[in-house]
Amino acid sequence: IKVNKIDGIEVNFSGSLPTLIVNNIDAPGHVAAVTGTLSRSGFNIANMQLYRNKRGGTAVMIVEMDQKMSPELIKEVENLKGVLRVTYV
């Protein structure tokens, strides 16, 4: 499978690894908040890609990881400031 568009924003990933898709407001600090949360939980990021529809608009963060995430950790990411939606594949 090759995903090439999410909510009208062009992306590029396969979902072959555990993948976290974070829709967020395009503003400083959101990438650090998500990656910091994953790091504190011992997760290693295999690949990460960032996309946005326009400066200050909506952004999509694709984070492919080496291991699976727990529902609790997904909820923690969902509750971060500026996060609009989280999808886990």
Side-chain angles (χ1 to χ4, degrees):
I1 295 175
K2 192 70 141 176
V3 179
N4 58 22
K5 194 172 277 194
I6 296 176
D7 296 334
I9 298 174
E10 291 187 21
V11 299
N12 181 21
F13 70 99
S14 69
S16 61
L17 293 170
T19 303
L20 186 68
I21 303 164
V22 181
N23 295 71
N24 59 279
I25 298 166
D26 180 39
H30 296 294
V31 172
V34 171
T35 58
T37 299
L38 296 174
S39 175
R40 283 188 298 280
S41 296
F43 278 78
N44 189 45
I45 296 172
N47 297 299
M48 183 170 161
Q49 301 171 30
L50 305 171
Y51 305 92
R52 64 183 182 184
N53 62 354
K54 64 180 179 178
R55 181 184 286 179
T58 302
V60 177
M61 187 182 323
I62 308 296
V63 186
E64 296 176 296
M65 294 169 286
D66 290 335
Q67 63 267 51
K68 294 181 180 180
M69 292 181 70
S70 69
E72 296 80 19
L73 183 55
I74 295 167
K75 191 66 160 171
E76 189 175 340
V77 173
E78 286 176 338
N79 291 327
L80 292 171
K81 182 180 178 183
V83 170
L84 304 171
R85 183 176 72 232
V86 174
T87 305
Y88 179 66
V89 181

